Amino acid sequence: MEPSTSPSADAVPQAHLVDRHPEVPADQLVAQMVPPPMFDEVSFASYIPDPNEPSQAAAVRKAEEFAHQVSAIHKAANKKSLFGKKKQVSGAGLYLDGGFGVGKTHLLASIYHIARAADPASASFGTFGEVTNLVGALGFANTVERLADNSVLCIDEFELDDPGDTMLVSRLLTELSARGVSIAATSNTLPGQLGEGRFAAQDFLREIKKLGSIFEAVRVDGPDYRHRDLPPAPEPISTELLTERAAAVPGSTLDDFDALLKHLSTLHPSKYRALVSGVASVFISNVHPVDDQAIALRVVALADRLYDASIPVTVSGAKLDQIFTEEMLEGGYRKKYLRAISRLLALSRFDAAA
C-alpha cells in the first residue's frame, strides 16, 4: 500500500503576506523609530575599518566625535537662562556619504546608541522614507513638536530623487536644528560616481540650503560588504520545491509575486514593517522583472523592511538581481533599485547558507 499524501490532520496551514492587513496607529510611528534589529548591539568599537580604505577609520573618528558633540549641545539647549527660558542653541549636522554596504548605517546606529545612553528618550532613527511617512501621518507641526526634545535625529538613506519630499524634510530639519536637535544622515553614492569627488555630498548640501552651514560631509569609501567574496545571486528554485520548503519552515509565508504586488498597493508603506513583523522567512513564487515605477518603489520599500528584520527570502521564477528591468535601472530611481537588489541578494544568500 502506498503511503498517503494527504495533509496531516494537525498540519499548520501555510501563512501568506497577502492575508495580513496591519493597522499602525500614528502615535506609534515615533516610538518605532529605532535602528533595525541587526544594529541593536553595534558600536563604534565594533566597526572594523577596511585597512585598504583609510576613509573608513577617519569616518569612525568623525562619527564618534559628533556623537559626543550631540550630548553637549543637548545639555546646553536644555539649560535654563536666568529668566527660566531654554537657551537658543542650534544642532550640529553630520552627513556620511559613500557607496552601498560600507558601514554607514552601522556608524549612524552607533551615534543613536550613544545619544540614548545619555538620555533614553532623546534619539530617533529612521530612513528618509520613514521620516516622510511620519510627517504624512502626524502632520508637519505635530512631527516637529514630537521630535523637538530629541538630542539627535538619525536619517538613513537620505534621498534626493523626489524634490517634494526632499524639500519637505529639509524644512523639517531646519525647524528641528533651530530648536537644538542635531541631525546625522547617510546617503549612497552610485558605484559609477565613486571617485568623482563629493558628488552626492554636493547634491545634499545644495538641496538643503539652510542646513548646509551646519553639516559636515564625511566620505566613507569601500566595496559593498554584502558582496565581498560572495557567489553570484542564487539560482531560483522550482515553484514545487519552493512550496515544500515554505511548508517546512515554521512562521514562514508563501506568496505569488503578482498577488503580493497587488496587496502592497493596498497598504501605505508605513505599514510594511508591521506586514512582515514576526515572519521567519519569506517565500515568493513566480518572480519576474518589474517595469512599472510605482510597483518597483513598493518592492524597494518591502525589501528595506525585510532587510531591517533580517528575514531570509527565497524565490522561484527570475533571479533577484533581475527583479528590475534594465530600463528601470537606468532611470531616476537607480540608486533605490540598486540598494534593493543588494539587500535582497544578501537575504537570499542568508537563506541559502541556512
Side-chain angles (χ1 to χ4, degrees), residues 13-298:
Q14 179 64 62
H16 309 281
L17 290 177
V18 296
D19 294 332
R20 292 182 160 214
H21 303 274
E23 292 296 332
V24 183
D27 59 359
Q28 289 186 13
L29 293 176
V30 174
Q32 70 182 24
M33 290 186 70
V34 298
M38 68 178 70
F39 297 104
D40 280 348
E41 304 296 331
V42 300
S43 65
F44 295 117
S46 66
Y47 183 101
I48 308 300
D50 185 335
N52 297 317
E53 301 290 348
S55 66
Q56 293 187 8
V60 174
R61 290 193 297 271
K62 286 289 187 181
E64 191 164 12
E65 289 170 5
F66 175 80
H68 293 295
Q69 183 185 10
V70 164
S71 298
I73 291 173
H74 189 54
K75 289 179 181 178
N78 284 296
K79 190 174 291 186
K80 301 285 185 68
S81 69
L82 293 176
F83 301 100
K85 293 183 179 180
K86 287 187 178 181
K87 290 187 176 181
Q88 290 296 313
V89 179
S90 295
L94 180 70
Y95 172 62
L96 299 171
D97 171 41
F100 302 102
V102 294
K104 301 186 304 298
T105 303
H106 182 130
L107 295 178
L108 194 67
S110 299
I111 292 170
Y112 170 90
H113 291 313
I114 290 288
R116 287 294 297 265
D119 182 345
S122 71
S124 296
F125 183 110
T127 64
F128 181 88
E130 288 175 316
V131 173
T132 59
N133 290 339
L134 184 69
V135 176
L138 301 180
F140 185 85
N142 193 8
T143 301
V144 171
E145 290 304 316
R146 286 175 179 264
L147 298 177
D149 289 333
N150 276 15
S151 63
V152 66
L153 172 61
C154 299
I155 303 180
D156 204 15
E157 299 154 7
F158 202 102
E159 298 170 358
L160 299 169
D161 42 27
D162 187 314
D165 282 348
T166 299
M167 297 315 293
L168 171 68
V169 175
S170 298
R171 182 183 163 209
L172 174 67
L173 302 191
T174 300
E175 294 273 351
L176 292 174
S177 177
R179 297 176 69 160
V181 181
S182 294
I183 312 294
T186 74
S187 189
N188 292 321
T189 300
L190 289 174
Q193 292 165 346
L194 292 175
E196 292 183 9
R198 300 162 69 83
F199 177 87
Q202 291 169 1
D203 274 4
F204 178 84
L205 299 177
R206 181 172 62 246
E207 291 295 334
I208 307 184
K209 299 171 184 176
K210 294 181 180 179
L211 289 177
S213 61
I214 72 163
F215 270 93
E216 179 178 6
V218 175
R219 184 75 185 188
V220 190
D221 293 306
D224 186 338
Y225 76 88
R226 291 184 291 267
H227 292 170
R228 292 176 195 161
D229 302 318
L230 289 174
E235 291 293 330
I237 61 178
S238 69
T239 299
E240 292 75 14
L241 181 55
L242 187 84
T243 303
E244 290 179 13
R245 289 191 180 179
V249 179
S252 70
T253 58
L254 172 64
D255 293 272
D256 173 76
F257 189 52
D258 283 329
L260 178 58
L261 295 180
K262 182 177 180 180
H263 185 56
L264 293 178
S265 72
T266 69
L267 300 173
H268 190 277
S270 64
K271 297 180 180 180
Y272 289 6
R273 182 191 296 267
L275 177 69
V276 300
S277 177
V279 174
S281 191
V282 165
F283 294 82
I284 306 174
S285 63
N286 305 311
V287 168
H288 59 78
V290 173
D291 59 5
D292 179 275
Q293 180 172 286
I295 295 174
L297 291 176
R298 293 186 196 113

